[in-house]
């Protein structure tokens, strides 16, 4: 039995406009979008595991996305949290990396998403720590503000002084 769920937007139009208006480079804006979208996935994983998002490990992210993918394959897209399908499902790229994602039963598109979510964790943990909050309690405005501050440090003091190296 599939429990209907509310569709989630990983980035609203208003949030995209807020990012576009931020004092960030094009790459920093792109990575901020990924960070916010990843936060939504990480928050969902944390809710299902009944833990705070910053406690999630890499293997838990991989396993959760793998499980979500399996649900989509077996029960249809409505059963999965991640509502997406590849426009070219038979197109898969060889994965030669050696990490926890490589052996997962995921398409190359899903592996790419998984790696993006994993990579966003370090930034989200740092942002949450700076705000003395849990990742799941962060706001989009806080994330944008934090990335702007970090970008300002990078421009004034060099990349080594900043947290992010985008």
């Amino acid at each position: 039995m599939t429990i209907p769920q509310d569709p989630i937007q990983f980035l609203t139009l208003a949030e995209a406009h807020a990012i576009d208006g931020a004092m960030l480079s094009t790459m920093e804006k792109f990575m901020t979008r990924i960070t916010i979208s990843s936060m939504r996935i990480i928050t969902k994983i944390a809710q299902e595991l009944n833990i705070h998002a910053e406690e999630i490990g890499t293997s838990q992210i991989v396993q959760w996305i793998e499980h979500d993918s399996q649900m989509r394959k077996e029960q249809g897209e409505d059963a999965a949290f991640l509502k997406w399908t590849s426009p070219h499902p038979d197109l898969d790229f060889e994965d030669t990396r050696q990490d926890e994602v490589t052996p997962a039963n995921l398409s190359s598109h899903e592996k790419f998403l998984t790696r993006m979510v994993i990579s966003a964790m370090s930034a989200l943990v740092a942002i949450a720590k700076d705000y003395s909050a849990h990742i799941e309690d962060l706001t989009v405005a806080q994330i944008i503000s934090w990335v702007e501050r970090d970008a300002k440090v990078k421009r004034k003091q060099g990349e080594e002084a900043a947290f992010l190296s985008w």
Side-chain angles (χ1 to χ4, degrees):
M1 180 176 159
T2 301
I3 300 170
Q5 56 183 319
D6 295 330
I8 186 167
Q9 277 192 295
F10 291 99
L11 193 67
T12 68
L13 191 54
E15 292 165 347
H17 286 309
I19 294 167
D20 287 341
M23 300 298 292
L24 299 170
S25 70
T26 302
M27 177 58 84
E28 292 162 344
K29 289 177 183 182
F30 174 72
M31 295 305 292
T32 301
R33 285 179 173 85
I34 289 173
T35 302
I36 292 167
S37 297
S38 295
M39 178 186 67
R40 302 236 160 89
I41 296 169
I42 291 165
T43 297
K44 177 65 174 174
I45 296 169
Q47 288 171 345
E48 289 191 10
L49 296 176
N50 201 27
I51 60 175
H52 290 294
E54 56 274 11
E55 298 172 36
I56 296 172
T58 299
S59 62
Q60 290 169 303
I61 294 170
V62 173
Q63 290 167 3
W64 188 90
I65 293 176
E66 195 172 28
H67 175 73
D68 193 68
S69 172
Q70 193 63 35
M71 284 180 52
R72 185 181 322 95
K73 291 173 188 167
E74 292 175 359
Q75 300 173 30
E77 192 170 308
D78 289 341
F81 177 73
L82 299 170
K83 310 274 187 228
W84 68 315
T85 54
S86 170
H88 307 286
D90 296 331
L91 182 63
D92 218 12
F93 302 98
E94 183 180 359
D95 188 358
T96 57
R97 293 178 186 226
Q98 297 301 314
D99 62 15
E100 289 186 61
V101 179
T102 305
N105 187 21
L106 298 168
S107 70
S108 57
H109 299 74
E110 292 165 328
K111 287 180 181 182
F112 179 75
L113 170 73
T114 304
R115 288 185 175 109
M116 284 192 320
V117 172
I118 292 167
S119 70
M121 273 297 284
S122 61
L124 288 166
V125 167
I127 296 166
K129 183 178 178 184
D130 280 1
Y131 284 108
S132 298
H134 295 293
I135 291 171
E136 61 270 22
D137 297 327
L138 292 173
T139 66
V140 170
Q142 287 174 316
I143 293 171
I144 293 169
S145 176
W146 190 92
V147 173
E148 282 182 314
R149 282 194 312 271
D150 193 65
K152 191 175 182 181
V153 167
K154 180 171 63 175
R155 289 190 239 312
K156 285 187 175 186
Q157 300 174 26
E159 193 167 309
E160 300 79 30
F163 180 84
L164 301 172
S165 60
W166 305 330

